[in-house]
Amino acid sequence: MDLDEKKELALDVIKRLKTEYPDTVCTLDYEDAWQLLVSVRLAAQCTDKRVNVVMKDLLAKYPTMDALAEATPEEIEAIVRPCGLGKSKARDISACMKMLKYDYKGHVPDNMKELLKLPGVGRKSANLIMGDVFDKPAIVTDTHCIRLCNLIGLVDGIKEPAKVEKELWKIIPPEEGNMFCHRLVDHGRAVCIARRPECGRCCLNDICRYHLQAGK
């Protein structure tokens, strides 16, 4: 499939997913950009549902960026441990909040270059902030995005998040990227479930490479 064909396929997938999931949203709860930064760091190898519960406990004790910046990594770890990888996540959250407080005057930066300077913030986290908080073009290559894009045929056997993101930028209209990725999460959880996809009720089954090849 050449680039033009992939662009055409991408537009079809976007259209169908919009119909299927018109009201998609980020499943991490947050009120401020700094809270989303903390949540997405906690979400590594953890469910969004658990992160939302742990975030309530964390915010109950440290309700502001300043308060969290003054907490020690050990104090943070005691609360976020249920999310797994508590020590490294707590260390990153502590360092990130301190940098925001002292280097960025309490403001989360609105550009990729500055976001990637923050401890524990990779392209996935930065893209989520860019898209959800600042309404800028973004493609969040989480596990659902990578898996579904390979199955559908939008990318070809690419598993590395940065490489998948690079390929998707070539075929996804910039203004569609952020919500497209949220809808892939919705679809991956509801229908195209890992290792047991329900192809019979999938809105993409007649254009999905995986389903078409399985039917041969």
Side-chain angles (χ1 to χ4, degrees):
M1 189 182 301
D2 63 26
L3 190 60
D4 287 337
E5 290 173 323
K6 285 188 177 182
K7 287 181 178 179
E8 185 177 346
L9 175 61
L11 291 176
D12 198 357
V13 172
I14 289 168
K15 180 181 178 181
R16 295 184 188 209
L17 291 181
K18 277 185 177 181
T19 300
E20 198 75 8
Y21 310 99
D23 302 316
T24 190
V25 293
C26 177
T27 52
L28 291 170
D29 297 335
Y30 69 96
E31 294 182 359
D32 297 295
W34 69 269
Q35 293 177 6
L36 183 56
L37 273 176
V38 175
S39 289
V40 75
R41 181 64 186 95
L42 292 178
Q45 299 183 39
C46 183
T47 65
D48 289 359
K49 184 177 181 180
R50 181 179 293 275
V51 170
N52 289 337
V53 172
V54 170
M55 277 297 294
K56 287 183 179 179
D57 295 336
L58 188 65
L59 294 174
K61 187 166 185 179
Y62 306 107
T64 65
M65 180 195 298
D66 286 355
L68 192 54
E70 295 308 311
T72 66
E74 292 74 22
E75 290 171 328
I76 296 171
E77 182 186 357
I79 299 174
V80 305
R81 192 175 293 118
C83 291
L85 305 174
K87 189 176 295 293
S88 62
K89 290 180 179 180
R91 183 180 63 244
D92 286 342
I93 289 168
S94 175
C96 182
M97 294 301 107
K98 282 180 168 59
M99 184 175 287
L100 288 177
K101 178 180 179 179
Y102 295 110
D103 296 352
Y104 290 93
K105 305 296 188 279
H107 297 289
V108 174
D110 64 354
N111 64 85
M112 184 67 70
K113 181 180 179 181
E114 296 301 319
L115 283 168
L116 291 175
K117 292 180 181 179
L118 298 172
V121 176
R123 291 196 63 85
K124 173 186 170 183
S125 304
N127 270 299
L128 189 63
I129 296 294
M130 292 287 285
D132 274 34
V133 175
F134 298 114
D135 197 27
K136 294 186 176 183
I139 290 178
V140 180
T141 50
D142 68 353
T143 54
H144 290 288
C145 174
I146 294 170
R147 180 172 61 85
L148 268 65
C149 285
N150 274 283
L151 290 175
I152 295 166
L154 295 175
V155 298
D156 303 309
I158 304 173
K159 301 299 175 66
E160 298 89 338
K163 291 182 179 179
V164 172
E165 180 188 342
K166 181 180 179 180
E167 291 304 304
L168 290 180
W169 278 121
K170 298 175 183 177
I171 61 174
I172 303 293
E175 68 277 8
E176 298 285 359
N178 187 53
M179 301 309 287
F180 169 67
C181 292
H182 282 323
R183 290 186 173 99
L184 287 177
V185 172
D186 293 337
H187 195 59
R189 288 173 174 166
V191 179
C192 192
I193 304 162
R195 291 181 293 280
R196 50 186 178 91
E198 299 183 26
C199 297
R201 65 185 189 92
C202 177
C203 64
L204 306 173
N205 60 20
D206 62 313
I207 58 173
C208 171
R209 178 171 61 188
Y210 171 82
H211 181 65
L212 293 173
Q213 290 180 346
K216 289 182 179 179

